[in-house]
Amino acid sequence: MGIAHAGSSAIVVDDTDGQVITAVNPDEAAHPASLAKMMTLYLTFQAVQNGTLKMDQDLPVSSWAASKAPTKLDLRNGQTISVEDCVLGMITKSANDAATVVAEGMGGTESHFVEMMNAQAQLLGMSSTRFANASGLPDPEDTTTARDMSKLAMALYHDFPQYSHYFATKEFMFRGRLVRGHNNLMDKYPGMDGLKTGYTNAAGFNLASTATKDGRRLFSVVLGGRTAATRDRLMARLLDDGFDNQETPAELVAQVGTVPAAAKGARRSAAKSTAVADATPASRRHHRRSKADAVAARSTATCSKKKAVTCPAPKATARKVASVGSSPDK
């Protein structure tokens, strides 16, 4: 596995036959950020399915879990929390403390659970992925690709269809307070019913999505977005094109992860914020090709439009992993 970068990559897969409709830098090493929680959820669903865990089972909160950096459910050492609330907390708020609770509940320690994560990744054919923790909090050893994340997303729906409805959760009540989710695009893209957002300074803005139209389901992954808004616009475009059986121009994917020189200072400032920008409206007439998109699509100077094309590395690649405190996981 290569060194992970915060460049842009994307993939769209048709669930019906496994056809890859669009693939741009699909095997480029990247940090998963909170998309790592999809594997934590996979192992959780697996344990519930085989009877090792129960959704209504209470798990203890350790000091290690309670100490995790935001975002979190603000769990306290000595408390307990149900497996189902951990699942909902991971899917909506991307709660790092909840991820650690289930990791310790299944693995005894988070480090042993990580071994379970990596073993399962190999079984799923995620040959370019290595998880370093249960939540996706910054770690230089945490590495994946868009292709591997699409395999994991599809496995979650294929192997545990009885639990797939959890990924459509936008909010839930937890101990008397409403916990809202980060996946703003799910509110605005017709037919989208999951999966998971992710953000750290090192990773950029990541998103794994699935949507249905006329009985057909697509899975798509975007890694290394410059902002949540540009990431969401690209995801909407990828899905639109996918349902139209068209490849999305590689140039558009490259632009999402490219940081103009004038914006670098703003990026560093924005990286300290825990807020995720609003998603682009999902109405086709709003997120279909803009004039800027059309100009980029006509350009042949940067990327080929062939499947699995590798775009030139964005200018702002190889971001160093920042401290946990300044890298809120989204």
Side-chain angles (χ1 to χ4, degrees):
M1 291 179 286
I3 298 174
H5 299 275
S8 54
S9 58
I11 193 168
V12 181
V13 184
D14 191 324
D15 188 49
T16 304
D17 55 10
Q19 177 189 358
V20 176
I21 301 172
T22 294
V24 180
N25 300 329
D27 302 307
E28 178 76 16
H31 294 296
S34 253
L35 299 196
K37 292 186 181 74
M38 293 198 300
M39 181 56 81
T40 300
L41 288 160
Y42 185 99
L43 292 175
T44 302
F45 293 151
Q46 187 179 68
V48 173
Q49 182 171 269
N50 65 29
T52 306
L53 287 179
K54 296 181 179 179
M55 280 292 185
D56 61 357
Q57 179 179 343
D58 287 333
L59 297 176
V61 179
S62 69
S63 58
W64 176 245
S67 70
K68 290 298 179 180
T71 57
K72 58 198 294 185
L73 292 176
D74 295 320
L75 302 177
R76 303 297 176 84
N77 181 31
Q79 292 180 334
T80 60
I81 179 175
S82 71
V83 171
E84 184 172 44
D85 279 343
C86 285
V87 167
L88 293 171
M90 283 188 279
I91 290 173
T92 57
K93 195 175 177 64
S94 206
N96 299 315
D97 49 1
T100 307
V101 167
V102 294
E104 292 180 324
M106 282 186 277
T109 64
E110 185 175 11
S111 60
H112 182 242
F113 183 76
V114 168
E115 294 176 5
M116 296 165 60
M117 295 172 73
N118 288 320
Q120 187 62 51
Q122 293 306 302
L123 290 175
L124 295 178
M126 300 170 64
S127 58
S128 298
T129 295
R130 183 188 183 282
F131 296 107
N133 54 60
S135 60
L137 279 167
D139 190 299
E141 301 300 321
D142 225 10
T143 306
T144 192
T145 65
R147 192 187 303 278
D148 277 4
M149 282 292 121
S150 71
K151 291 178 181 179
L152 177 55
M154 295 176 72
L156 280 163
Y157 276 67
H158 293 165
D159 296 350
F160 312 110
Q162 69 272 40
Y163 306 128
S164 62
H165 66 279
Y166 281 111
F167 289 104
T169 306
K170 299 175 183 177
E171 57 186 32
F172 77 108
M173 290 298 299
F174 179 66
R175 298 178 180 172
R177 60 187 175 94
L178 185 65
V179 177
R180 290 189 170 89
H182 294 148
N183 196 347
N184 296 319
L185 187 59
M186 195 159 59
D187 287 328
K188 300 171 182 178
Y189 192 93
M192 185 178 291
D193 54 5
L195 292 160
K196 190 76 192 70
T197 60
Y199 168 76
T200 62
N201 288 351
F205 288 87
N206 297 343
L207 181 62
S209 294
T210 184
T212 59
K213 181 180 180 182
D214 299 329
R216 181 184 175 203
R217 180 176 291 279
L218 299 180
F219 287 87
S220 183
V221 175
V222 173
L223 301 180
R226 181 173 71 252
T227 67
T230 57
R231 172 202 66 188
D232 290 351
R233 281 196 294 271
L234 175 61
M235 179 61 76
R237 174 63 183 270
L238 287 162
L239 291 171
D240 272 355
D241 289 346
F243 284 121
D244 287 343
N245 294 309
Q246 298 177 8
E247 292 182 56
T248 300
E251 296 91 336
L252 300 185
V253 178
Q255 290 170 2
V256 167
T258 301
V259 182
K264 289 182 179 179
R267 182 199 70 200
R268 286 192 293 269
S269 176
K272 296 180 180 179
S273 173
T274 59
V276 173
D278 290 338
T280 299
S283 166
R284 178 175 293 251
R285 65 179 179 272
H286 287 148
H287 63 237
R288 288 303 261 171
R289 203 171 295 187
S290 67
K291 290 182 179 179
D293 290 339
V295 171
R298 288 195 297 268
S299 171
T300 58
T302 54
C303 299
S304 165
K305 295 182 182 179
K306 295 181 181 179
K307 286 186 175 65
V309 66
T310 298
C311 291
K315 294 178 182 178
T317 57
R319 296 181 197 165
K320 294 182 179 179
V321 175
S323 65
V324 170
S326 62
S327 297
D329 195 86
K330 306 296 282 187

